[in-house]
Amino acid sequence: MPEPGVEVVWGALSKAWRKAQYEELWLQFRPSGSKDVFDAVDAAVQVANQEVEDAGWGDEVFTEGVSDSDAGPVALMGRAGPEEGVRAWLDSFARHLQALGMTGKVTAAPQAFFPEWMSGEAKPPRQLTAFVSYRTNDLALLDADEQRRVWHVPAALTAKIADAGAAWGRFDGADVYLRRNIHQARSKNPDVGPALADAAAKFAMARVAYLRPQAGRVVWASLGTLGRACYAVMDDTVSWRDRLAQVVRAMTAFPGDTDLAFVQHSHVNTSSWAELSDGRPPLPHVKEYQVRYNRHLNGQYIADAHGLQLLTDAHLTHANDLSEWIIEPLGGGKHLVQAKDLEPWYASIDPDPETLAKARADFGGMLLTPEIIAANPPPWR
């Protein structure tokens, strides 16, 4: 076992492991000194994984998905095999942290789950959700693998987006659920902007959800890969028009730094644009993965027509006929383009089919197609 510098709290860990029916183990390193230990923990995870692999435990013991929290980094042992292998992994992990000069405790990580009414089988219906694509750094600097897993938005803009998202979502009496990478915890501080910004930069996966303990009201903001975010509101006490106005405020907060944004109904707690794969109605010409892997086209094309969207000058040049749409300039070559009557779009989960068909005809060449993708390859190295 390791020397006292890094203590493995086996009692708490074994209790959490038993509660998870010995299938997985969420663990946390709580440093007693500096809180800047994420890189050390990430390195220690890799060392421990290699040591148990060399010892023959690799098929049964493996830890992945290092996340962060206010109390210290968190990791998921997704393969938590026999006790001997788990203990061997923890011993190696603690020894390597200590060799790096760390002091503290390795213990079970706290977890926070959404209430049953929100996460169980009888989930609430789809809710109004804003999908927003923010300005990124030069995408040509990325390779094909990096473009799938980085936030890649300038740091100053990231801080503004995160602070604004937290301020937009919080309300009195709300419980606060903060997710960084794959780990979610409760937060006593509703002002989670700095934590969101840090998680987006580190993991390209950060989310805050403010929810009332009783069923009926949830507001959430999520930041994902390559500057793509989601904002949504569920509140049975207000009209769909009020909820729509709230998500529009989020998606138009930084028009000069937004390449594309639109509103549609999506699953409760939608956390990424991957939800477009299950959108209603389905995208007309492309699949969700084609939208995901062609982020460089967001500033010129849109996957489908919507009743409300934030578009660029370049988008508008591709349209067929927008004479029956309200176009509000937002400055910097950006425009809020909305239907004159929003009820057919947002009063119910599915837009009126005839209204949607007419809008798709109006947007015309603005709609993303396989031919457009083929003619405009991505800039990844």
Side-chain angles (χ1 to χ4, degrees):
M1 292 298 291
E3 298 178 7
V6 176
E7 176 190 0
V8 175
V9 186
W10 176 247
L13 287 160
S14 61
K15 182 179 179 180
W17 185 34
R18 183 170 62 253
K19 187 176 181 180
Q21 300 181 348
Y22 303 101
E23 294 181 352
E24 65 179 26
L25 174 61
W26 285 95
L27 58 105
Q28 181 177 55
F29 176 58
R30 298 182 181 177
S32 57
S34 169
K35 300 299 182 183
D36 187 18
V37 298
F38 182 85
D39 289 342
V41 169
D42 192 38
V45 166
Q46 296 178 48
V47 168
N49 280 339
Q50 187 60 55
E51 286 199 11
V52 296
E53 171 74 24
D54 294 342
W57 297 106
D59 291 338
E60 298 173 291
V61 180
F62 184 77
T63 300
E64 57 190 329
V66 182
S67 300
D68 219 341
S69 77
D70 294 339
V74 173
L76 171 62
M77 185 180 289
R79 296 202 298 267
E83 181 175 331
E84 184 180 354
V86 171
R87 281 181 174 269
W89 191 98
L90 292 167
D91 180 64
S92 173
F93 179 67
R95 278 191 286 104
H96 189 69
L97 286 175
Q98 189 165 301
L100 293 173
M102 303 289 105
T103 59
K105 295 182 178 181
V106 181
T107 188
Q111 298 181 71
F113 300 101
F114 289 127
E116 181 66 21
W117 62 264
M118 186 174 167
S119 58
E121 292 184 5
K123 291 182 180 179
R126 296 175 187 237
Q127 303 295 322
L128 288 168
T129 304
F131 293 77
V132 184
S133 177
Y134 292 110
R135 173 177 59 88
T136 65
N137 297 312
D138 184 1
L139 298 180
L141 299 177
L142 301 177
D143 61 30
D145 180 59
E146 286 176 324
Q147 65 89 17
R148 296 182 176 93
R149 56 183 174 83
V150 295
W151 168 243
H152 211 56
V153 172
L157 177 57
T158 298
K160 290 196 300 181
I161 291 168
D163 285 342
W168 167 81
R170 62 178 178 255
F171 59 90
D172 291 341
D175 291 335
V176 184
Y177 290 76
L178 177 62
R179 178 176 176 178
R180 290 177 262 206
N181 199 12
I182 63 173
H183 181 256
Q184 179 167 275
R186 291 276 294 275
S187 175
K188 295 181 180 179
N189 179 12
D191 185 12
V192 298
L196 276 178
D198 181 66
K202 281 183 179 177
F203 312 116
M205 187 181 299
R207 180 185 66 203
V208 61
Y210 298 96
L211 65 93
R212 192 172 57 195
Q214 298 77 27
R217 186 177 185 187
V218 190
V219 182
W220 66 94
S222 176
L223 309 181
T225 55
L226 297 185
R228 290 170 289 208
C230 298
Y231 302 89
V233 175
M234 173 180 172
D235 188 347
D236 296 338
T237 68
V238 300
S239 70
W240 67 266
R241 292 186 184 277
D242 289 335
R243 285 180 278 122
L244 179 63
Q246 188 170 352
V247 297
V248 170
R249 284 197 299 273
M251 82 175 205
T252 57
F254 304 102
D257 296 306
T258 302
D259 294 330
L260 169 66
F262 53 89
V263 179
Q264 68 178 49
H265 283 87
S266 190
H267 291 296
V268 169
N269 208 39
T270 288
S271 60
S272 77
W273 282 39
E275 290 291 336
L276 295 178
S277 63
D278 192 32
R280 289 171 41 183
L283 300 177
H285 304 306
V286 296
K287 302 295 185 181
E288 177 276 327
Y289 73 88
Q290 293 173 294
V291 178
R292 188 191 334 150
Y293 293 148
N294 289 281
R295 165 65 179 82
H296 63 296
L297 298 179
N298 283 4
Q300 302 179 64
Y301 300 96
I302 187 168
D304 203 354
H306 302 87
L308 266 164
Q309 51 257 302
L310 189 156
L311 303 176
T312 67
D313 285 342
H315 283 116
L316 301 188
T317 62
H318 295 301
N320 281 352
D321 181 8
L322 297 180
S323 60
E324 295 186 17
W325 292 77
I326 299 172
I327 302 177
E328 177 186 350
L330 301 176
K334 309 298 172 63
H335 312 269
L336 182 63
V337 179
Q338 60 181 307
K340 293 180 179 179
D341 183 4
L342 295 174
E343 187 165 356
W345 288 97
Y346 299 120
S348 59
I349 291 175
D350 297 307
D352 172 70
E354 290 186 7
T355 300
L356 177 61
K358 175 63 166 59
R360 286 173 172 172
D362 289 344
F363 280 70
M366 193 191 305
L367 298 182
L368 190 64
T369 65
E371 291 75 21
I372 290 172
I373 293 172
N376 297 273
W380 330 123
R381 295 196 303 264

